[in-house]
Amino acid sequence: MTTRVLVADDEALVRAGFRVLLDRDPGIEVVAEAANGDEAIALTRAHRPDVVLMDVRMPGTDGLTATRRILGDPRLPGVRVIVLTTFELDEYVYAALRAGAVGFLLKDVSPDELRHAVRVVAAGGALLAPAVTRRLIAAFASEEEPPPPAVETLTAREREVVTMIADGLSMADIAGRLRMSPATAKTHTNRAMTKLGARDRAQLVVLAYRWGLARVPRTR
């Protein structure tokens, strides 16, 4: 099955570069390009891509606003957004993750990393494994909030799984450590997401940091 991608960036050369890199993968197809947030919203509604690569700094309607509108549109339930940035710790990325984006990529990402990221996100994953991504999420999620009552409804196993996800472990890694099948690990994850009101694993990690289910990793 082909993964359909929309690339949103105000620089034509950047869009063209990403298109070339992605189209080299026979399992990925770039279905549209957008030069600003308004175009990104309109073209996402028209083409319904699986993944949107969204630049955050664009003239007019920026990528953050576009991300909020796309992910808040009930007509686009399957669309997943990866934000693009030039800087590792960009304040816009914080807000994009809060809005529901599943992760972010630096614009100097390698071709293989770019294609891998698109495949992971299209399959329902989140870009949480790289240390810089965990550091980014931890940076804004460390704004402490009192945990809601829903946290107390998590079982001990669900808490354990959530903590491991926040540490960047994959379902296979978690299954291996806890001596369970990947399907069982995924079941615990889905139950925790339902109880905490997280729409995906990225938001689950944010909530885990914010509500004390995971420790903020140290940065150097």
Side-chain angles (χ1 to χ4, degrees):
M1 184 175 178
T2 301
T3 298
R4 305 170 74 253
V5 179
L6 182 148
V7 178
D9 194 289
D10 61 328
E11 296 185 28
L13 287 177
V14 173
R15 296 197 305 273
F18 278 125
R19 175 183 282 275
V20 169
L21 295 177
L22 291 171
D23 282 345
R24 288 179 179 172
D25 188 319
I28 299 175
E29 177 189 5
V30 176
V31 296
E33 297 178 23
N36 56 56
D38 286 328
E39 286 187 6
I41 296 167
L43 291 173
T44 297
R45 288 171 176 165
H47 294 276
R48 297 178 183 270
D50 301 299
V51 178
V52 175
L53 293 179
M54 182 77 76
D55 184 21
V56 291
R57 299 185 178 186
M58 293 185 288
T61 299
D62 62 26
L64 173 56
T65 301
T67 295
R68 285 175 175 161
R69 291 181 182 172
I70 289 171
L71 297 178
D73 191 332
R75 296 169 293 180
L76 304 171
V79 177
R80 297 170 69 80
V81 176
I82 302 173
V83 295
L84 300 169
T85 181
T86 307
F87 307 100
E88 287 188 359
L89 297 179
D90 188 324
E91 67 274 15
Y92 288 102
V93 180
Y94 299 173
L97 286 171
R98 286 195 182 101
V102 294
F104 82 101
L105 291 174
L106 299 180
K107 286 190 177 181
D108 62 358
V109 62
S110 73
D112 287 341
E113 289 173 335
L114 174 66
R115 291 186 286 263
H116 174 70
V118 168
R119 290 192 295 268
V120 167
V121 166
L127 300 178
L128 303 176
V132 66
T133 304
R134 295 199 303 275
R135 188 164 67 244
L136 170 71
I137 293 173
F140 77 83
S142 59
E143 302 166 359
E144 295 184 0
E145 290 182 1
V151 170
E152 298 302 320
T153 68
L154 295 176
T155 65
R157 183 62 86 190
E158 288 164 358
R159 283 175 174 263
E160 199 169 13
V161 169
V162 169
T163 299
M164 290 184 176
I165 291 173
D167 285 339
L169 273 66
S170 67
M171 288 296 103
D173 292 333
I174 293 172
R177 291 196 182 188
L178 298 180
R179 298 183 181 181
M180 62 177 61
S181 70
T184 300
K186 187 174 182 180
T187 296
H188 287 304
T189 301
N190 290 339
R191 288 175 179 169
M193 288 170 54
T194 298
K195 290 178 179 180
L196 299 179
R199 59 178 289 161
D200 52 42
R201 292 179 202 167
Q203 286 197 341
L204 182 62
V205 171
V206 169
L207 297 178
Y209 283 128
R210 183 170 293 166
W211 295 334
L213 297 172
R215 291 177 296 179
V216 177
R218 294 180 180 178
T219 59
R220 296 181 180 179

